[in-house]
Amino acid sequence: MRLIVEEDNSKPKLLIIYHNHRDLAIIIKDYFKDFNYEIHLVAHFPENSSSYDLFYYVNPTETNIQYLLHHVSKLCILIFTAKREHAEKLATKLTTHKSFKIVHLQPQSTYLKEDIEKIYWFSLSQQSHNFLSIHRESIIPNTPLPQAPNIASSYRWKFQIQHYLRLRHIPIIIVIIIFLLHFAFFIPLGIASYYNYQSLQRLRNSDFKNSLSISQLAYSYLKMSRTFYAIIRPTFLLFSQAQFPDDIHQLNETSNILVNKISLSQNHSTELIKLIEKRGKSTGEVSRINELIELLKNDIDQMDTLFLQLKDKLPGFIPGKQKIQLELTNGAKIIETAQKLVPLIPTILANKSNKKYLLLFANNMELRPGGGFIGSFGMLDIRNYEISNFQIYDVYDADGQLTAHIEPPDPIRQYLSQPNWYLRDSAFSPDFRNNFQQAQLFIDKTLNLGEFDGGILLTTTSIQYLLGSVGTIYLPDFNEKVNKDNFYMKTQTYAEKDFFPGSIRKKSFLSSIANQLLLALENKPSLDTFLSIKRGLDEKQIVTYFKDPNVYSTMEHLYWTGPVVKQNCAIESSNCAVDYIYPIDANLGVNKANFFISKLIQQKVNINTDGFIESKLTLTYSNSSYNDVFPGGTYNNYLQIMLPLNVKIREITVDSIPVDAYQTSIVLENEIIGFMTYIKPGTTQYIAISYELNQPVKRGRGVYQLIIQKQVGTPNSDVNLSITYPDNMYIVNKNFSPLVKDRTISYNTNLVTDKVFFIEFYRE
């Protein structure tokens, strides 16, 4: 038999697994290269391990150990670089498992070859103990010996040269470094964006001081980002990617400048108010007022530009973009208003002249067509930016001295049984210019206070708005604390309690409130005060009249004069049908029932195939007062509805019962229908009027326009509008966003101020 000798050239297989400390695993691998082993280095235990003869596992977890116990029968060395107690306990636990040996190696900045050699000989040892702890007393953990840096450096460079800085990896590393450098500017830019956002949030809450400090912090990061970006911007331009980072930088810079400008204008306006309120101004202080006005004009012009830039640069990915755009639009409107008002300050506040204004205080809880029952009035004298005289009168100071007969409007004579007309009922026109002239006539015939350069009517609601901007004020003369919530009831208490002709309690109370308000406004942010006054003007709780044509023209353009609006078509068109409604209430019940009244306005418009327009206005009144308990009670309302001229009245009903007795008249180029209604406590009343416009819309392109006017002093009523159009008509454009269904467009809104709705159409 021939014997064949075969030589086995296969090498024993060594598997080195590391859970962490890869550097230690590599040192073990390098050590075993000197022996005849086939070495495999892995970070996770392979599924098939039966072919391996020896295992080294660096820092295994408890789960790894359990897996090894069930799947490995070959020699396995478990090396721990920390937790000596844990390693000792594990060694005790695995005493019966002869295949497992436990090594604890002291953690250090690098490991010596002799440490690995000890581990190797321990793994081959036939001794019974299965635990080895390697600890060098001369080495403090994490503190290398003098030679350690050289050893560590040797190993570190070895690893980097062999595994990272190989020739084929260098281009990748360079690309990564260049990439990181090109996007490093986003870190400070992101921080700047966050701080700018926080600064704007503080600004919304009128926290000017913190807003400015956060803005300055944002600027420092923005400057850092700009510096980095300037270096690498040519690369972004090369790839046409510079637009986005340019816009984000511009957005941050604009918001940063805007915050600074608003804070600066706040300081200027606060200083201006304090100087105006100061008595006995010097020539230098008057000059400073004029200087501050010019500074404010410049601030506002710059802010107007910044608001537009901010809105244009707003990126689409920002969360809540629509809400932010709405706030920016509202901010731009405030700036636009301020642009118109600031130049008028010298004229209104009598720079180098004298001005005298009439203040009318209207109780809109006892509503009149022009805002409310006039309970008090005031005279304000201004000379060269200074209030030289401010005096409040009770209305009976004038009415008690009226001896001449002045014929009252018919509703006052008929339903109030008053043969004479008095100042307290002077606000009986829906147009404030007429009411101002009528009030001045009464005052001339009684107190002879002279000519006024203008007038301002303030309702009870407007005073509440103003109190809301300053908080609670204390009246030392009355030992009372007054705020927006209790102002009306306290005023009524001092007006009604122990009242007798000639009593000064009410005017003294109002004078005390006015004086304390002026003091409070000196220390409150002027923006809050400005917004509360603007709200009163926008919602027609404050209306004005000025004899100076420039001032009056500006106020009229802002809709702050309380006029009956002209029925002009908003869009130039020869085929325009203008519809117009103006419900006007007059509480003639000698009570304050309007405190409990809510009103819903519904307008249904139907355009037929021939172009004729029929409208139905429904007013829903609800009286929530208690049964005949003052200040509430039955709402005796003389209702007037102003409509376009020459309309055809189809029907008027109250709770579906036809109304035959009503008055008609022509006032200010409008047709007015008036009649008395009575709404008892706890009831709801429906008043409807159907009418047809005097002109149909023609074929071709045309416009239908509806104007709904709000009465001075009324709360913000809900409005429901629906317009039904025929099959031969197509809607081309509209200035509101309705719900469209079955050739009917529906829209719900709130009558905060006068509303103008128009639809452009094409009729076949």
Side-chain angles (χ1 to χ4, degrees), residues 131 153 188 234 255 278 347 381 439 471 504 517 551 595 677 719 724:
F131 178 71
S153 177
S255 62
K278 184 181 178 182
T347 304
D381 284 318
I504 64 170
L517 265 176
V551 178
F595 187 82
T677 66
V719 175
T724 302

Side-chain angles (χ1 to χ4, degrees), residues 226-264:
R226 269 291 191 194
T227 302
F228 291 159
Y229 179 60
I231 299 171
I232 50 86
R233 187 172 183 270
T235 307
F236 280 81
L237 287 171
L238 179 65
F239 293 98
S240 301
Q241 298 298 319
Q243 185 65 48
F244 175 73
D246 283 351
D247 286 348
I248 297 299
H249 278 102
Q250 184 63 47
L251 182 69
N252 275 275
E253 288 177 358
T254 302
S255 62
N256 199 267
I257 297 171
L258 180 62
V259 169
N260 281 272
K261 276 295 173 186
I262 292 176
S263 299
L264 185 62

Side-chain angles (χ1 to χ4, degrees), residues 449-503:
L449 297 179
E451 286 291 317
F452 292 96
D453 295 286
I456 303 172
L457 180 137
L458 301 98
T459 67
T460 301
T461 302
S462 71
I463 304 298
Q464 289 175 314
Y465 290 167
L466 197 56
L467 284 168
S469 72
V470 300
T472 301
I473 60 175
Y474 176 67
L475 310 181
D477 296 339
F478 295 86
N479 193 27
E480 290 277 12
K481 291 182 178 180
V482 179
N483 55 43
K484 65 181 180 65
D485 298 317
N486 65 14
F487 164 73
Y488 174 69
M489 296 308 297
K490 286 190 179 294
T491 303
Q492 283 302 118
T493 299
Y494 282 95
E496 304 290 343
K497 185 178 179 181
D498 301 327
F499 172 78
F500 59 89
S503 171

